[in-house]
Amino acid sequence: MAGRSPWSRFVDSAVQGQGAPAALAVPVATPAGVQAGGLKAAGVKARGLKVRRLGIRVGAKLRGQELANPPTDAPRRRTDVRLALPACLVWSAAIAGVWLTPVALVGLCCGLVLLAAFLFTGAARGRGPVSGRRSFLMTTAVALVLAAAAAAHSAVSSSQRHDGALAEAVAAGNSVVAILEVTGSPRAMTVPGSAGPPERWSVTAQTEEVTVGGRVIRTRAPMVVMGGKGWGDLIPGQVVRTAGKLKPPDAGQQEAAVLLASLPPRAGSGAGSGAGVDDADAPGWQLVAKDLRGRYVSASFFLAADPAGLLPGMVTGDTSALDEGLNAAMKTVGMTHLTAVSGANCSLVLGALLIAARSLRLPRLAAAGLALTGLAMFVVLVGPDASVLRAALMGSIAVASLAGGRTGRGLSFLCLAVMGLLLIDPGLGTSFGFLLSVLATLGIIVLGRRMIDWTPPVIPRWAAAAWAVPLSAQLLCGPVIVLLQPQFSTYSLLANLMAAPLVAPVTLLGTAAVPLVVAAPWLATVLIAVAGTFSAGVAGTARITAGLPGAALPWPEGPFGLLTMVLLSLLTFAGVWLTIRPRQVLPRVLALHARTESVLDLLERHLGATLARCWPDRRGPGQRGPGLVAAAHRGRLRHCTRISGRNPPWPQPRPHVPGLRRPTRPPGGT
């Protein structure tokens, strides 16, 4: 360890939780006298000591259980946030790269590099062992270098949007003939309230050649193509030819242009205007994935209407057969994340593969290789979406650390996954799907674990996780969802709680049936029937909760809606804490009340002293003579003679003052 650099030791401590610097180390609640080498007890009985093959974990405090004699100087275990600063800086640089011009990005990169060099120089001047100050300077410097790399990557696409022949054609709105390479799966552009198959599709692509007025522009620029018939059957990797009109993209988008295609896609090899798209141009693994998805949808047709459309969506992400009514019901109650394969599916698949590999007594490296291979095949099957890539990369880092015999922390893994994805594709920085995926994972890591620990010990841990995981994810995702869909899903938590036990069987059994559709169709039919039964329960949950009164309430739009939803999330989190831990909340509330009273008393004294110095002729409270409070008529309401400087429309009554009364006629009098 003596010959290693300080930064290497710092990164190891951040990811492994070992050997952290004194000022930034993550304290672990370990009983006094317990050491990692021998576990020596010094009069303290610790419960929850577990010795595992991958290492030793000392649990000084279990959920709902504490030490019999807790030491007074035992520090609390805290969340490791040292990699959060680099992740935030890289994300900020990626967002800036989408909005700024190339010249501004060059200046930003130079400024970040110079500031990083200055911090590196300041950290290198330190002497002696690694201190908290040096570690912080080195962390910030490396974060600035990574941010500069993300900004430099974004500058390439920014130059294509602002400079060059393609940018001029986009600004003029010219009609072009383009040869494109498809880079993403087609997405249906559905119109609310419309029935039947979608008529318009959106496809992401990279330009190879663009012909404008007889001039050929050869460049590689990202582009979004919007077309009709034929565009929904494309596969990533295919090269197609089409014609259409260029349109500038919306502000904050990484694409160089939007192409409104007027023709269906044709083969890009120049085989003639009537030649259709040739699947041979696509990679072989993409063709296999498309064939498996199609076979899986066909194999699910014997199920009822709802599970036949929902099961392929939950397993492979194919929602082509999903009923529009069911899709609307899932949007109403906040269950659309089940049809878009997300991090939960990757985690279930990865966990199942690890358990299967360890049950076969495979070594760590072999088990890690098997799990990563299966995860890569799953990602290819469902398509490299932002949330799937994030979950796959995070799981890969976790498996790599387990294969090395060292465990890490969830927040560190999340930060590493975010930095890796943003450095590869800075355009993810402005993707709402990527943001929601990161926020959901962050909520589970930061809030979900605390909610599980707050749950009384009589409740099983799996039952505590069943309500804590969806609630923690919803608390952080709610403000962003309001920006996209200004409504409040009243029964979202209830619907997700009811569907949570059904998601794991659908994902595991349905995924296991995908390769069997070709190898053993009869066995795949059995697994699809069982998984379809559970998916029918998910569909029924969505329809029932969406039909309840007040399922979707209107919510303010824009920043005001965002702030109010943040306030609602904070109040919900505080309400959960108050409900589960009233004994801990009440003393803190009383202490806060006492502190508030002391602050108000202090302000009153200072205010009285200030008024006494400014107006010495006026008395304060407790003094005699004319002052701030009139001596006469104290505590007694009199008639008002100051009505905003205006004369009253009629004379005001004067109480306790005798006066003439208007005579009243007796009943029946004339």
Side-chain angles (χ1 to χ4, degrees), residues 606-620 623 628:
H606 283 285
L607 182 60
T610 304
L611 293 176
R613 289 195 300 268
C614 295
W615 295 282
D617 55 335
R618 299 189 178 186
R619 71 169 180 86
Q623 300 178 357
L628 296 178

Side-chain angles (χ1 to χ4, degrees), residues 190 193-196 303-314 318-340 485 487 495 499 502 506 531-547:
T190 58
S194 62
L303 299 173
D306 282 353
L310 182 60
L311 180 61
M314 295 183 65
D318 189 348
T319 59
S320 58
L322 185 63
D323 182 70
E324 290 294 333
L326 179 58
N327 189 24
M330 298 185 72
K331 287 182 179 180
T332 301
V333 295
M335 296 177 63
T336 52
H337 61 91
L338 299 179
T339 56
Q485 187 176 4
Q487 71 177 23
L502 307 175
V506 172
T533 304
F534 289 101
S535 63
V538 176
T541 300
R543 289 189 179 275
I544 292 174
T545 52

Side-chain angles (χ1 to χ4, degrees), residues 119-274:
L119 294 179
F120 269 126
T121 304
R125 291 178 179 176
R127 301 293 182 183
V130 179
S131 61
R133 178 178 176 274
R134 290 184 59 192
S135 299
F136 177 75
L137 292 178
M138 293 169 62
T139 305
T140 308
V142 173
L144 292 174
V145 172
L146 295 177
H153 193 177
S154 301
V156 178
S157 59
S158 178
S159 62
Q160 294 173 344
R161 293 193 305 269
H162 294 85
D163 302 326
L166 181 61
E168 295 176 359
V170 172
N174 295 332
S175 297
V176 299
V177 177
I179 298 179
L180 311 171
E181 179 184 355
V182 181
T183 58
S185 301
R187 296 181 180 273
M189 302 175 62
T190 58
V191 179
S194 62
E199 298 181 356
R200 301 285 294 176
W201 298 85
S202 174
V203 183
T204 58
Q206 286 273 353
T207 61
E208 290 190 354
E209 289 185 5
V210 179
T211 304
V212 184
R215 183 179 57 171
V216 179
I217 304 173
R218 291 181 173 87
T219 181
R220 297 282 294 179
M223 180 180 293
V224 175
V225 183
M226 297 182 181
K229 182 180 179 181
W231 288 97
D233 301 327
L234 297 180
I235 305 174
Q238 287 181 320
V239 178
V240 299
R241 179 191 298 269
T242 188
K245 188 175 182 179
L246 293 177
K247 176 185 174 183
D250 296 334
Q253 300 297 323
Q254 63 169 341
E255 290 81 12
V258 176
L259 178 62
L260 304 178
S262 57
L263 297 177
R266 304 298 182 186
S269 57
S273 60

Side-chain angles (χ1 to χ4, degrees), residues 582-592:
R583 294 184 179 180
Q584 294 185 0
V585 175
L586 186 58
R588 297 191 180 187
V589 170
L590 295 178
L592 181 62

